[in-house]
């Protein structure tokens, strides 16, 4: 029951994370800038510039939006191409990971044996982790580009300085949820796929150890008895009779044990 609960929690986290990442691909205002208003030279007229992965837009004070779509793939800014590639690669890994997780979970009853399901679920964890890492790298690349432009001291004072928009933070949260779900998947199947190694002793070596311990104790008892007798001055015949009594008692106990 505990294992199944961990798997369901990982599935919910990873699915929610992929939903966040997918939504950011179509959202506006990845970066935005404001002109005029209280912080500019104009009090009434305000203009907003914002961009995403597909177009640049301008919104005037009358709420009229004018957009310019990006051209063909090879004419787009290189870092935009990189962010697109990383996010799409992450989504591809995530699609494969969701299918494998759905097949390998215990509550779906789709896979084969228990060990096969564990292997499939572990593969899903790897796909989810790789997808989450690619998405995180894509968002970090975009953030790095905006930060370099915004804090560049050599930038023209009249140039636009963009700030980060809501989709960036939503995408980062989704990426962390995906990685968390992959970790839960791995925890659920780790003990089954990689059990702890225990020392193995067969029955013959075990019996040999028991007999060795028995005879070793007998020899030790004989040596202690002989040293005690030499110190106390007991005769040799009495030593032999005492040793024979001990041996009879030990042998009888062993035979009763067998």
């Amino acid at each position: 029951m505990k294992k199944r609960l961990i798997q369901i929690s990982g599935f919910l986290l990873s699915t929610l994370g992929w939903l966040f990442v997918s939504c950011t691909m179509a959202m506006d205002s990845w970066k935005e800038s404001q002109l005029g208003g209280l912080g500019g030279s104009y009090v009434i007229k305000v203009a907003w510039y914002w961009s995403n992965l597909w177009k640049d837009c301008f919104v005037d004070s009358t709420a009229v939006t004018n957009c310019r779509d990006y051209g063909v793939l090879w004419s787009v800014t290189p870092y935009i191409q990189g962010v697109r590639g990383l996010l799409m690669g992450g989504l591809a890994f995530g699609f494969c990971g969701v299918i494998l997780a759905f097949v390998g979970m215990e509550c779906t009853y789709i896979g084969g044996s228990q060990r096969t399901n564990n292997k499939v679920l572990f593969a899903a964890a790897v796909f989810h982790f790789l997808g989450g890492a690619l998405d995180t790298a894509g968002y970090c690349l975009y953030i790095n580009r905006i930060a370099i432009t915004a804090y560049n001291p050599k930038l023209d004072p009249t140039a636009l300085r963009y700030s980060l928009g809501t989709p960036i933070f939503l995408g980062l949260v989704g990426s962390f949820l995906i990685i968390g779900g992959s970790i839960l998947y791995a925890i659920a199947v780790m003990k089954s796929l990689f059990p702890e190694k225990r020392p193995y002793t067969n029955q013959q070596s075990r019996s040999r150890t028991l007999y060795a311990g028995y005879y070793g104790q007998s020899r030790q008892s004989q040596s202690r008895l002989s040293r005690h007798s030499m110190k106390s001055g007991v005769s040799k015949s009495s030593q032999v009779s005492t040793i024979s009594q001990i041996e009879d008692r030990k042998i009888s106990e062993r035979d009763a044990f067998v």
Side-chain angles (χ1 to χ4, degrees), residues 7-128:
Q7 292 179 1
I8 295 174
S9 300
F11 184 80
L12 293 176
L13 284 179
S14 59
T15 304
L16 184 62
W18 288 120
L19 180 62
F20 285 174
V21 173
S22 300
C23 289
T24 60
M25 295 285 290
M27 291 178 67
D28 299 329
S29 300
W30 277 56
K31 61 179 181 179
E32 53 190 3
S33 180
Q34 179 180 350
L35 294 179
L38 297 177
S41 58
Y42 300 96
V43 178
I44 298 176
K45 293 183 178 181
V46 180
W48 292 271
Y49 290 88
W50 57 266
S51 300
N52 58 11
L53 297 179
W54 318 105
K55 57 187 176 180
D56 284 326
C57 293
F58 168 74
V59 182
D60 58 15
S61 59
T62 61
V64 176
T65 303
N66 298 312
C67 294
R68 178 183 63 87
D69 294 333
Y70 292 144
V72 292
L73 181 61
W74 50 85
S75 65
V76 184
T77 309
Y79 84 94
I80 295 292
Q81 293 180 356
V83 174
R84 286 178 179 179
L86 290 171
L87 293 184
M88 290 181 180
L91 288 174
F93 277 112
F95 180 75
C96 297
V98 169
I99 294 177
L100 291 175
F102 191 74
V103 172
M105 292 174 63
E106 290 185 354
C107 57
T108 56
Y109 303 102
I110 297 178
S113 63
Q114 183 65 35
R115 185 167 181 82
T116 302
N117 285 341
N118 292 334
K119 290 181 179 180
V120 172
L121 193 61
F122 187 78
V126 174
F127 275 96
H128 278 299

Side-chain angles (χ1 to χ4, degrees), residues 224-238:
R224 285 197 301 268
L225 182 60
S226 61
R227 288 196 300 268
H228 178 71
S229 301
M230 291 177 62
K231 290 181 181 180
S232 58
V234 181
S235 62
K236 187 173 182 179
S237 59
S238 62

